[in-house]
Amino acid sequence: MKSIALAQRFLARRFPGIVPETLAVLLASIVLAMLGNALSPRGISVLGGQWDPARGIMHADGHCAPRIQEMDLTSLLFLMEQKQDTLVVVDARSKEEFISGHIPGAVSLPLMDAAFDLPSFLAHHDAARICVVYCSGAECSDAQDLADILREAGGFKVFVYGMGFSGWVAGQRPVENGRL
Amino acid sequence: MKALFANPWVHLLSRWIAGGVFIYAAVYKIYDPCDFARAINGYKILPAVFINPLAALLPWMEIFCGILVIQGRFSRGAALLLACMLLTFMTAIGFNLIRGVEFECGCFGAQRDICDAIARSLISVRGEVFNHVRTGCDLVRDALILVPVIFVIFFKSERRVPSVKTGPDR
């Protein structure tokens, strides 16, 4: 508190009137932000429907619904069992993380490398029709971002496994490692 | 240096640069606050309860302060707020750089910005080094933006936009 008072005294002496001016601008900004956000069709919920990392990074409220449909572990396992020939599971994490452990049968396509590796990925998986992307867990957004890129590339029906690799491990499923 | 801080043309240029950058940065965040909220969440610093209020507040504050700085009304107060915001962003970016958290800056919305392009051109293999280069570039870019903001705060006296016909006030 003493340092704040000191800073206020310094500002008042060095820049007369700047403290009340700053407070006035701050207050006006808050009012404008609340009004603008409330009136904007893309505004987000400020106090209700808060961000919920436990449900995945995309779940803040209705306005922030996932861009790509998410699936749970049961649906992923069902797809892996039933659609082996047409399904490709894509790991959006870094190559190092992939090597240290990944979902069995998954293919590494780190989001950072997507722009470079996408053509060879598409050439190698031209038979695939369904693509499920995952990243490290519910709090990462790489899977959604990579799924966006894959959807734009076309040819796939794209889903995101929202709980990611940590959800796979928590579900006590087998892990493969050491292969790119 | 004193002459530089008293030069109305430098003041005018600083106001336009500082205000313009923040208005540009705010537009996409206002258009898609969800993406900005995801970016704030990606920093892994704030508890969930603060993410949406900040995602709603910061872009409007940036655009409002940017307009005030360009217009020259309450420009010092607005510039001080912009400086506080920049220092906070730089602290958050530096904190994550030190602890090695991979994140999207979100500074100019979800679009890939100049630092991403620079890192891509320098480092062909993505990974930890790439992230460090990109994050370091984010820090340098914010420091460069801080320069005109500081000029606006330290300018000797409040002046209106100089007229094209009459030139800057003396």
Side-chain angles (χ1 to χ4, degrees):
Chain A
M1 290 306 280
K2 201 176 174 184
S3 58
I4 293 173
L6 272 173
Q8 267 183 346
R9 265 213 300 274
F10 167 77
L11 284 170
R13 203 168 45 228
R14 181 69 181 78
F15 309 104
I18 200 170
V19 174
E21 190 177 304
T22 308
L23 290 176
V25 174
L26 177 64
L27 196 65
S29 301
I30 293 171
V31 172
L32 178 72
M34 293 304 110
L35 271 174
N37 184 64
L39 295 174
S40 165
R42 303 179 72 99
I44 53 175
S45 169
V46 176
L47 297 175
Q50 290 299 333
W51 212 246
D52 186 2
R55 286 174 56 218
I57 189 167
M58 300 300 147
H59 298 274
D61 61 18
H63 295 297
C64 296
R67 296 187 297 271
I68 307 289
Q69 190 183 341
E70 292 191 356
M71 64 167 56
D72 58 11
L73 182 57
T74 313
S75 309
L76 175 60
L77 290 172
F78 176 79
L79 270 182
M80 288 173 81
E81 199 176 315
Q82 300 294 319
K83 307 276 183 186
Q84 283 177 4
D85 299 337
T86 53
L87 172 74
V88 57
V89 179
V90 180
D91 189 320
R93 301 173 302 156
S94 69
K95 290 198 187 322
E96 292 80 9
E97 286 174 296
F98 181 85
I99 290 169
S100 69
H102 57 262
I103 294 176
V107 177
S108 174
L109 182 60
L111 176 65
M112 289 288 188
D113 298 339
F116 298 88
D117 294 349
L118 191 61
S120 80
F121 171 85
L122 293 174
H124 280 91
H125 299 92
D126 56 346
R129 290 289 165 263
I130 304 169
C131 190
V132 179
V133 190
Y134 71 93
C135 51
S136 54
E139 284 190 54
C140 79
S141 62
D142 286 5
Q144 281 283 342
D145 294 340
L146 183 61
D148 255 349
I149 294 170
L150 287 171
R151 185 175 60 176
E152 279 171 27
F156 295 115
K157 189 159 177 56
V158 185
F159 298 95
V160 165
Y161 170 45
M163 301 315 286
F165 186 66
S166 58
W168 179 266
V169 173
Q172 298 182 325
R173 306 304 307 171
V175 171
E176 198 173 75
N177 52 29
R179 179 186 63 84
L180 259 181
Chain B
M1 197 67 178
K2 274 185 177 176
L4 202 61
F5 278 116
N7 187 323
W9 287 111
V10 174
H11 180 231
L12 179 68
L13 189 67
S14 303
R15 275 179 19 218
W16 283 358
I17 293 172
V21 165
F22 275 92
I23 291 170
Y24 172 72
V27 170
Y28 187 81
K29 294 176 199 165
I30 289 173
Y31 172 72
D32 196 349
C34 292
D35 255 354
F36 186 47
R38 285 181 198 113
I40 297 175
N41 190 42
Y43 278 73
K44 297 185 175 73
I45 291 176
L46 289 171
V49 72
F50 291 118
I51 290 170
N52 277 20
L54 268 182
L57 173 66
L58 287 181
W60 290 96
M61 192 184 280
E62 285 178 348
I63 207 164
F64 183 57
C65 290
I67 290 169
L68 287 180
V69 165
I70 285 181
Q71 208 206 2
R73 289 183 187 275
F74 304 107
S75 58
R76 272 188 172 174
L80 185 60
L81 273 181
L82 293 181
C84 292
M85 275 193 270
L86 267 176
L87 289 172
T88 310
F89 296 152
M90 289 168 74
T91 308
I93 291 169
F95 181 55
N96 275 355
L97 182 66
I98 290 166
R99 64 181 183 151
V101 170
E102 190 185 323
F103 66 104
E104 286 292 330
C105 169
C107 309
F108 291 88
Q111 305 136 315
R112 302 263 179 229
D113 65 4
I114 190 167
C115 283
D116 197 76
I118 289 172
R120 275 173 192 277
S121 66
L122 291 176
I123 317 282
S124 56
V125 182
R126 251 57 71 206
E128 205 171 322
V129 180
F130 176 88
N131 288 323
H132 277 86
V133 170
R134 193 182 56 171
T135 311
C137 172
D138 285 335
L139 268 180
V140 172
R141 183 201 53 209
D142 283 0
L144 288 176
I145 298 170
L146 190 60
V147 174
V149 177
I150 296 285
F151 260 88
V152 177
I153 298 171
F154 278 81
F155 186 65
K156 285 294 177 192
S157 62
E158 191 72 46
R159 282 184 171 86
R160 302 298 305 276
V161 179
S163 151
V164 175
K165 283 181 184 168
T166 58
D169 301 341
R170 293 274 175 196

